[in-house]
Amino acid sequence: MAAIIRMRDVRKTYATGALEVEALRGVSMTIEDGEFVAVAGPSGSGKSTLMHILGCLDVPTSGSYWLAGGDVGELPDSHLATIRNQHIGFVFQQFNLLPTMTAARNVELPLAYAGVPRPQRRERALAALARVGLADRTEHRPGELSGGQQQRVAVARALVTDPALLLADEPTGNLDSGSSAEVLALFTELHAAGRTIVLITHEPDVAARAQRTVLIRDGVLAA
Ligand SMILES: Nc1ncnc2c1ncn2[C@@H]1O[C@H](COP(=O)(O)OP(=O)(O)OP(=O)(O)O)[C@@H](O)[C@H]1O
Ligand SMILES: [Mg+2]
């Protein structure tokens, strides 16, 4: 297996006025293609910071990061945006769906950014929604869907570009136990189908769904 993610001694310091916070203090890790990994740790331990770097939403203060064989540590923002669009699907705790757009239009958006022609966009969005069990909700707006359904729309949106890596930050944090189970079952299926998944959570029973768990505490990984 090839490593999809390789991080070496990644540090991230946030400066807010006179206060500096070292959110990551030397993180090294390797994730193989096709793995399902949970990142767990208490509030403020650096999980979201790590996800932002993994997802090329932010860059390390120092250290190196290779994604799918390419060094992304040194790239300008414009390149990072392209890498995000091509290689990574994101799922967030707050769904982040656009409220005025239908489920299908929300799922089409990453394809619009990627320059895919409209008829193909539509077709692929409908297929992704069918994949997450929402073939009968494509014309609903987010406000007309349950929390679990909204999160499944977000998973469809993350998958529609066929990304190598699916990154989820507390994807079940706003869901009741039934909807959580639905979304977690979907992750398990996606992993079985070969997708690489990194799931961030502070809930041990959610982390237990992954193949292995990486623990983070005060910005460092625990052995
Ligand atoms: N944009 C920012 N500017 C300044 N400090 C930040 C910023 N983002 C995070 N931090 C700080 O960095 C540390 C790590 O935050 P992070 O959001 O990564 O934690 P987390 O593990 O995701 O926590 P939670 O479980 O509460 O989501 C915290 O001390 C936080 O206050
Ligand atoms: Mg967080």
Side-chain angles (χ1 to χ4, degrees):
M1 275 200 291
I4 183 165
I5 284 168
R6 209 182 277 278
M7 267 190 177
R8 287 297 170 264
D9 200 25
V10 163
R11 290 167 187 274
K12 181 70 186 180
T13 306
Y14 294 112
T16 309
L19 185 70
E20 283 204 343
V21 175
E22 261 203 301
L24 297 178
R25 302 184 297 128
V27 170
S28 299
M29 66 176 185
T30 302
I31 294 177
E32 307 293 335
D33 206 6
E35 270 199 290
F36 182 1
V37 176
V39 176
S43 180
S45 59
K47 300 183 300 293
S48 293
T49 302
L50 181 63
M51 161 148 178
H52 289 149
I53 293 175
L54 286 173
C56 299
L57 292 163
D58 204 349
V59 291
T61 307
S62 68
S64 52
Y65 175 31
W66 289 269
L67 175 65
D71 185 350
V72 292
E74 308 278 290
L75 294 177
D77 285 357
S78 54
H79 279 60
L80 288 181
T82 307
I83 287 180
R84 277 199 303 275
N85 191 255
Q86 287 177 346
H87 295 296
I88 304 167
F90 293 96
V91 179
F92 299 98
Q93 180 171 355
Q94 338 274 1
F95 321 139
N96 292 5
L97 300 173
L98 295 180
T100 60
M101 287 192 176
T102 63
R105 291 297 298 281
N106 268 284
V107 176
E108 278 182 45
L109 272 181
L111 297 176
Y113 295 132
V116 174
R118 174 157 275 172
Q120 259 173 277
R121 255 151 54 190
R122 174 94 193 152
E123 195 179 312
R124 285 171 63 178
L126 296 183
L129 284 165
R131 178 80 190 71
V132 300
L134 290 176
D136 57 349
R137 293 289 187 278
T138 62
E139 302 316 307
H140 284 57
R141 290 188 170 75
E144 299 162 345
L145 296 169
S146 72
Q149 289 170 337
Q150 288 181 63
Q151 193 60 305
R152 283 189 281 148
V153 173
V155 173
R157 180 184 56 187
L159 291 176
V160 75
T161 54
D162 196 26
L165 176 63
L166 185 63
L167 280 180
D169 193 350
E170 302 280 2
T172 60
N174 280 346
L175 301 180
D176 60 61
S177 58
S179 300
S180 288
E182 266 175 30
V183 167
L184 290 172
L186 185 55
F187 280 95
T188 302
E189 260 178 53
L190 294 169
H191 170 237
R195 190 80 50 178
T196 310
I197 302 174
V198 179
L199 183 159
I200 289 169
T201 183
H202 61 259
E203 296 172 69
D205 55 325
V206 174
R209 303 297 291 260
Q211 273 176 303
R212 68 178 169 107
T213 299
V214 170
L215 287 175
I216 183 167
R217 190 174 286 274
D218 292 331
V220 287
L221 300 189

